[in-house]
């Protein structure tokens, strides 16, 4: 039986793709080629409906146990096996599933300032042509309606950032010493030292990975009439693409995305007004996170907190 020894379990838009790419290079670790298998997000087949692009994502879920175990079969003898699905922290039902199947697993959680994370999440979907709302705060206001309509977790811009409640629930199933909490800014600013922290936590050698390759970075997409047309085509493709084979979907979306990303430029940062509007939603969660984690996240409570994007 091949199952993971560790999980990179959170959170979306906090550098988990880059961390996965770094850990893959470590000679004592094995992570499958399939990133985000999402196995613990369901007890059976994933949903079949959702927002733009969701059904295609659901088709990628590795939800059968035999298929999941097969991902780890190529692991070399003695290597620690792991996978990265950043939605595991958010999905409370996943916590019990993980504990039942791999109770001795270690979990790595990369957390990011929740306002910045929400904005980066919106920017990602906007850059993919799937988000229709050009105004970030307006997109946040649509969150509850979209959740009620069954849109996938990646559309839950603010709910994904309620780390305090999520971590408190996770600690019902795993002791604190089997959880490693990292910060996105540390992964970005000092990647070698941060990867070494992960390796030390997992019990493998340090100093093997000096750099983290850039992963999952989208270019800024301006709100122009041409781009609006491209995004409309991509959203429509996202609604019906699940009916077609992957090569057909890619043949349709790849040239459209190339056109959408033709411009160069930095994505906008969270404005002071946006931060002031959203921070109150997270204050209690940040305070709870500090209480249950034993670590300080006081800088996230500041209206002056600097936003950084890549």
């Amino acid at each position: 039986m091949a199952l993971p020894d560790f999980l990179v379990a959170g959170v979306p838009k906090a550098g988990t793709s880059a961390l996965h790419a770094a850990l893959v290079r470590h000679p004592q670790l094995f992570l499958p080629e399939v990133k985000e298998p999402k196995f613990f997000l369901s007890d059976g087949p994933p949903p079949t409906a959702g927002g733009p692009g969701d059904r295609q994502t659901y088709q990628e879920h590795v939800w059968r146990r035999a298929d999941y175990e097969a991902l780890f079969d190529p692991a070399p003898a003695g290597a620690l096996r792991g996978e990265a699905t950043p939605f595991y922290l958010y999905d409370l039902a996943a916590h019990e599933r993980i504990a039942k199947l791999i109770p001795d697993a270690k979990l790595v959680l990369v957390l990011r300032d929740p306002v910045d994370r929400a904005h980066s999440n919106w920017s990602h979907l906007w850059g993919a042509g799937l988000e229709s709302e050009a105004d970030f705060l307006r997109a946040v206001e649509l969150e509850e309606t979209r959740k009620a309509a069954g849109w996938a977790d990646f559309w839950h811009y603010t709910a994904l950032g309620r780390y305090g409640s999520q971590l408190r629930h996770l600690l019902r199933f795993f002791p604190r010493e089997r959880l490693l909490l990292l910060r996105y800014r540390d992964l970005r600013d000092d990647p070698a030292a941060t990867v070494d922290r992960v390796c030390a936590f997992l019990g493998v050698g340090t100093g093997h990975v000096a750099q983290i390759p850039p992963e999952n970075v989208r270019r800024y997409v301006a709100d122009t009439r041409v781009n609006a047309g491209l995004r409309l085509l991509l959203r429509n493709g996202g609604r019906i693409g699940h009916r077609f084979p992957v090569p057909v979907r890619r043949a349709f979306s790849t040239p459209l995305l190339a056109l959408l990303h033709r411009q160069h430029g930095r994505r906008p940062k969270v404005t002071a007004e946006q931060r002031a509007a959203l921070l109150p939603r997270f204050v209690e969660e940040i305070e709870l996170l500090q209480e249950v984690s034993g670590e300080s996240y006081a800088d996230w409570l500041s209206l002056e907190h600097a936003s950084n994007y890549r």
Side-chain angles (χ1 to χ4, degrees):
M1 180 174 67
L3 287 168
D5 302 292
F6 70 93
L7 302 172
V8 179
V11 298
K13 304 310 299 177
T16 55
S17 293
L19 180 58
H20 175 274
L23 296 179
V24 163
R25 300 179 174 188
H26 196 289
Q28 295 171 274
L29 301 177
F30 174 84
L31 290 88
E33 293 183 5
V34 175
K35 183 187 174 292
E36 296 191 24
K38 303 182 176 70
F39 174 72
F40 292 104
L41 297 182
S42 65
D43 283 318
T48 56
D54 288 349
R55 279 178 279 192
Q56 290 96 301
T57 300
Y58 289 140
Q59 288 177 338
E60 298 170 359
H61 283 215
V62 181
W63 59 272
R64 295 179 179 87
R65 179 164 172 177
D67 294 337
Y68 186 63
E69 291 184 13
L71 295 178
F72 303 98
D73 285 342
L80 288 182
R81 301 179 294 266
E83 60 111 327
T85 298
F87 294 96
Y88 288 156
L89 177 63
Y90 177 60
D91 190 317
L92 302 187
H95 301 173
E96 185 171 5
R97 296 186 190 112
I98 295 168
K100 284 183 176 180
L101 190 60
I102 47 174
D104 297 324
K106 292 184 176 181
L107 279 63
V108 178
L109 308 173
V110 190
L111 304 181
R112 181 176 185 176
D113 175 286
V115 177
D116 290 353
R117 196 222 65 80
H119 187 274
S120 183
N121 196 156
W122 164 82
S123 182
H124 179 110
L125 287 167
W126 173 261
L130 299 175
E131 172 60 75
S132 60
E133 182 52 62
D135 185 294
F136 169 51
L137 292 181
R138 171 59 182 158
V140 168
E141 292 306 316
L142 294 173
E143 181 174 335
E144 292 304 318
T145 301
R146 290 169 167 180
K147 287 172 65 177
W151 289 30
D153 292 351
F154 199 43
W155 296 91
H156 303 180
Y157 295 144
T158 62
L160 279 163
R162 294 171 186 153
Y163 312 136
S165 297
Q166 296 160 21
L167 182 61
R168 180 174 61 185
H169 188 270
L170 183 62
L171 287 169
R172 292 170 51 188
F173 301 94
F174 289 90
R176 179 66 177 86
E177 60 268 20
R178 288 221 302 277
L179 308 179
L180 176 64
L181 273 61
L182 303 173
R183 283 175 173 246
Y184 166 78
R185 72 178 187 193
D186 294 334
L187 189 62
R188 181 201 61 215
D189 295 342
D190 196 353
T194 305
V195 172
D196 276 351
R197 282 189 63 195
V198 177
C199 293
F201 171 69
L202 296 177
V204 297
T206 59
H208 290 279
V209 181
Q211 295 181 330
I212 291 183
E215 292 284 329
N216 210 18
V217 179
R218 294 188 182 275
R219 289 180 178 174
Y220 168 63
V221 175
D223 186 18
T224 65
R225 184 174 299 178
V226 172
N227 287 346
L230 293 170
R231 289 197 308 273
L232 179 61
L233 290 171
L234 286 163
R235 284 197 302 279
N236 287 335
R239 292 188 177 97
I240 65 173
H242 61 285
R243 302 175 184 173
F244 301 93
V246 173
V248 175
R249 297 204 301 254
R250 288 178 177 168
F252 172 80
S253 64
T254 299
L256 293 177
L257 285 169
L259 285 172
L260 191 63
H261 299 158
R262 67 194 181 279
Q263 297 167 308
H264 294 272
R266 295 181 62 84
R267 285 183 288 174
K269 297 180 179 181
V270 176
T271 66
E273 293 75 17
Q274 289 169 337
R275 186 166 186 83
L278 287 191
L279 184 57
R281 299 185 181 219
F282 297 111
V283 169
E284 290 186 5
E285 286 289 337
I286 294 170
E287 292 173 344
L288 178 59
L289 174 64
Q290 294 184 121
E291 178 185 337
V292 297
S293 71
E295 301 184 16
S296 175
Y297 295 88
D299 54 308
W300 290 356
L301 294 169
S302 172
L303 288 174
E304 304 301 322
H305 183 69
S307 302
N308 294 285
Y309 292 93
R310 39 178 252 187

